[in-house]
Amino acid sequence: MSLSSKIQDVFNEPGCGKNANKSMKEKKKGCTKQLVPGGAAGGCAFDGAKIALQPFADVAHLVHGPIACEGNSWDNRGSASSGPTLWRTSFTTDMSEQDVVFGGEKKLFKACKEIFEKYDPPAIFVYQTCVPAMIGDDIGAVCKAASQKFGKPVIPVNVPGFVGSKNLGAKLAGEALLDYVIGTVEPEYTTPYDINIIGEFNLAGEFWQIKPILDELGIRIVSCISGDGRFNEVASAHRARASMMVCSKSMINVARKMEERWGIPFFEGSFYGIEDSSDSLKELARLLIERGADPELMDRVNAVCEREEKRAYAAIAKLKPRVQGKKVLLITGGVKSWSVVAALLEAGFEMVGTSVKKSTREDKERIKEIMGQDAHMIEDMKPRDMYKMLRDARADIMLSGGRSQFVALKATMPWLDINQERHHCYMGYVGMVNLVKEIDRTLSNPVWKQVRKPAPWAKPGESWQEKALAQIAAEQAELAADPVKAEETRRAKPVCMCKGVTLGAIEDAIRDGAATPEAVKEKTAASGGCGACAVRIQEILDQGAIVGQPTQQINVAAE
């Protein structure tokens, strides 16, 4: 299948939450959101594929392209291996200007030969990047020739960065596994307790906090895709009895197609949070029992969950007096937006708000169940608004990824990394205890008291922080004094990034008779790109936009 056909197949993926909001016509268009300059730094298709597959620890990962592609993508996640270290070695064909002129296929073949001779891996993953794709290098043909020559799999991962976003790259990496790896090796034996874990990357080694529990229950992990994974394990993943989908945004296509081809049922679960860990273990047991496991497995799972929950709550109870009432701002997405919220509330924290930028409609509904219908869910907070929230002491600590840390540091507020670059394990029962401990440790650090003290030479009102707050206050006062401008600013807020559709345009469409997301899309083109804003449009409809009323009276909770 050609790359364009493969991309189209991925965009038509019925298991994708965004696809569910599209018509057949829109599905055929795929994701029309264009990459912006600089977006390739942690955002292109190649980078997404490398993130998804590099945790396979015994495989050689060879990047076919200029050396910068490998340099920018190496070691950008804290995945851990319990054995092989080959995945930590950088391999690249280091294409030069001469290779651009004469082609890099021979260089790629020689690189495969050198890797097999020096390291003897069970397989090589070859990543296509932008430059060789544009000059026409056929990595599929080279990989096929290398496989035949050396007698080991050489897997083409056709993901030039320009084809789309990081999420698309992760799905294309999954397609490479389905096309060339899964189902190519038969396991030595099988049991009724065999499972796959899909979309789990063993960040900071945190999956090792769940694996001992699965081992105790007798549940065997045939393959983890891809954290601490091994090539032969994923090649035999088609013989598992059930699968758990951890990160649906990255590999939902793998789970669904394995169910379609080999009849392996799957569910989307989370090991973030105490109750969510128990729910996932129980759902795994239910699926295994349906596929032939002894029903007594559920009794053992219930007993283990009860024991682990008791231990975790007891450990958190000791920390509760230190963190009770502390206010947390959570800037993350996906399942963590509600799993972590539940755990923090259990520990006695107060939630100022949680971001939902990467969350599905189901995620948002769970947040409302946990935090109440008035939960402060943040779609897309600007850095300076985040800064003001922290400076106004509406939060005591911010949990987020590395990109947001500087906002907290500028506000001289404690910050804790909760995303993929983190160095601490927050998964499972022990993980939630670790999270509370790290928050307590961060809040108690004496450095914050020191950095908040003004410098001896500082004059009131002259620091950059005070000037920034004064500017924000002045802009807010200006809007308060000018209702017309305030309304223009509110209406100018973007809702659909792909098509550049504002809140005002959507409200106008609703006023003119659009009563469904499809009707809004017909009038404005909103959600006609990646589809991510379809949930937001439905919320605008749900939150009181009244058809036929003047736009100024449509009170939408968009802020």
Side-chain angles (χ1 to χ4, degrees):
M1 187 182 290
S2 67
L3 177 59
S4 59
S5 299
K6 182 63 72 175
I7 291 172
Q8 189 61 60
D9 183 51
V10 169
F11 281 135
N12 285 333
E13 171 56 49
C16 175
K18 292 179 181 178
N19 250 7
N21 298 309
K22 295 183 181 181
S23 65
M24 289 304 298
K25 181 180 177 182
E26 293 297 336
K27 286 180 182 179
K28 290 178 181 178
K29 292 180 181 179
C31 180
T32 55
K33 185 174 182 179
Q34 298 297 312
L35 292 177
V36 297
C44 73
F46 157 69
D47 191 69
K50 190 85 181 303
I51 286 172
L53 297 181
Q54 187 156 357
F56 285 118
D58 60 345
V59 174
H61 300 269
L62 172 60
V63 176
H64 183 43
I67 197 168
C69 291
E70 170 63 349
N72 290 337
S73 66
W74 182 80
D75 201 30
N76 59 3
R77 290 215 172 187
S79 299
S81 167
S82 60
T85 59
L86 183 61
W87 67 290
R88 300 274 298 162
T89 303
S90 293
F91 297 104
T92 176
T93 53
D94 185 17
M95 292 184 69
S96 64
E97 291 88 345
Q98 186 173 337
D99 299 317
V100 173
V101 176
F102 295 105
E105 292 178 353
K106 289 183 179 180
K107 197 170 190 178
L108 174 58
F109 186 88
K110 289 179 180 178
C112 293
K113 179 176 183 289
E114 183 179 349
I115 290 171
F116 279 127
E117 289 177 348
K118 288 187 176 181
Y119 299 95
D120 192 30
I124 298 175
F125 285 148
V126 176
Y127 300 84
Q128 177 81 298
T129 58
C130 294
V131 172
M134 288 189 287
I135 66 174
D137 278 3
D138 188 348
I139 68 165
V142 175
C143 290
K144 184 177 181 180
S147 294
Q148 293 173 347
K149 175 69 174 178
F150 305 112
K152 289 187 177 182
V154 181
I155 312 301
V157 186
N158 202 357
V159 283
F162 58 72
V163 301
S165 66
K166 180 171 66 176
N167 286 335
L168 172 61
K171 289 182 174 65
L172 291 175
E175 291 294 318
L177 295 179
L178 288 162
D179 289 344
Y180 300 102
V181 183
I182 299 173
T184 59
V185 172
E186 290 297 328
E188 293 181 4
Y189 66 95
T190 61
T191 76
Y193 303 91
D194 293 349
I195 66 167
N196 295 319
I197 303 292
I198 303 173
E200 162 50 43
F201 305 110
N202 198 34
L203 301 176
E206 63 184 5
F207 188 67
W208 296 333
Q209 297 183 153
I210 286 293
K211 189 175 183 302
I213 294 176
L214 295 172
D215 291 341
E216 178 185 348
L217 292 168
I219 297 176
R220 185 173 78 116
I221 302 172
V222 174
S223 175
C224 184
I225 305 175
S226 56
D228 196 21
R230 305 291 186 270
F231 182 81
N232 286 330
E233 290 175 355
V234 70
S236 61
H238 63 299
R239 294 306 181 200
R241 298 297 180 93
S243 295
M244 175 176 168
M245 181 81 249
V246 177
C247 181
S248 62
K249 286 179 72 68
S250 64
M251 288 191 174
I252 185 68
N253 53 323
V254 175
R256 189 194 62 78
K257 289 185 177 180
M258 289 183 73
E259 181 176 45
E260 184 181 89
R261 295 179 189 180
W262 295 290
I264 305 173
F266 75 95
F267 74 100
E268 293 186 46
S270 170
F271 286 125
Y272 291 100
I274 295 171
E275 292 184 6
D276 294 299
S277 296
S278 294
D279 290 343
S280 295
L281 290 172
K282 291 172 184 177
E283 184 63 16
L284 274 174
R286 187 187 68 78
L287 288 179
L288 289 172
I289 291 168
E290 285 184 357
R291 299 295 309 284
D294 193 318
E296 60 84 32
L297 173 63
M298 186 62 76
D299 296 331
R300 290 191 285 118
V301 167
N302 288 331
V304 168
C305 290
E306 183 179 351
R307 182 195 71 200
E308 294 298 323
E309 286 179 12
K310 185 176 180 181
R311 287 177 180 174
Y313 285 128
I316 289 174
K318 295 178 182 178
L319 298 166
K320 213 167 186 177
R322 295 175 57 83
V323 300
Q324 187 83 34
K326 295 294 184 182
K327 293 173 287 186
V328 177
L329 174 63
L330 180 63
I331 305 295
T332 183
V335 295
K336 281 186 289 186
S337 59
W338 49 263
S339 289
V340 174
V341 163
L344 294 177
L345 290 175
E346 289 166 2
F349 291 97
E350 292 181 15
M351 297 303 301
V352 173
T354 179
S355 66
V356 290
K357 188 175 180 180
K358 298 180 181 179
S359 301
T360 64
R361 188 172 182 83
E362 291 73 22
D363 290 334
K364 293 179 181 181
E365 289 303 317
R366 292 204 63 169
I367 291 170
K368 289 179 182 178
E369 290 176 14
I370 297 167
M371 296 177 62
Q373 291 300 312
D374 297 328
H376 189 182
M377 294 187 288
I378 304 160
E379 282 288 341
D380 192 11
M381 180 178 280
K382 293 180 179 178
R384 74 175 198 171
D385 294 333
M386 202 182 298
Y387 170 80
K388 188 174 187 304
M389 176 178 280
L390 292 169
R391 286 291 295 184
D392 289 347
R394 290 171 61 190
D396 295 304
I397 187 171
M398 182 168 78
L399 310 185
S400 71
R403 294 181 183 180
S404 306
Q405 66 175 303
F406 301 105
V407 176
L409 298 177
K410 286 178 180 178
T412 62
M413 282 289 174
W415 167 82
L416 185 64
D417 193 348
I418 199 171
N419 276 8
Q420 63 266 15
E421 300 92 355
R422 63 184 178 273
H423 298 286
H424 299 282
C425 307
Y426 302 139
M427 183 179 282
Y429 304 99
V430 176
M432 284 300 104
V433 177
N434 290 342
L435 177 60
V436 176
K437 285 181 179 178
E438 287 303 318
I439 293 175
D440 176 41
R441 186 179 300 172
T442 304
L443 285 168
S444 304
N445 195 319
V447 71
W448 303 113
K449 222 177 250 187
Q450 295 296 321
V451 298
R452 287 172 190 155
K453 291 180 180 178
W457 57 84
K459 296 180 181 179
E462 291 189 359
S463 70
W464 67 265
Q465 291 101 327
E466 290 170 306
K467 289 179 180 178
L469 288 173
Q471 183 182 356
I472 293 171
E475 291 176 2
Q476 290 176 338
E478 183 182 355
L479 292 177
D482 189 346
V484 175
K485 188 172 182 179
E487 177 66 5
E488 290 175 353
T489 302
R490 185 189 70 83
R491 283 171 51 82
K493 290 185 175 181
V495 174
C496 178
M497 300 294 184
C498 300
K499 301 295 183 181
V501 183
T502 63
L503 173 63
I506 291 173
E507 289 180 344
D508 289 343
I510 296 171
R511 181 195 61 191
D512 293 339
T516 65
E518 290 72 23
V520 171
K521 180 166 61 177
E522 191 70 28
K523 286 181 176 291
T524 66
S527 80
C530 70
C533 62
V535 174
R536 183 77 188 97
I537 293 168
Q538 182 62 59
E539 289 175 349
I540 294 172
L541 286 161
D542 293 344
Q543 289 168 347
I546 304 172
V547 175
Q549 295 295 319
T551 303
Q552 289 82 356
Q553 294 181 20
I554 300 176
N555 183 18
V556 180
E559 301 161 301

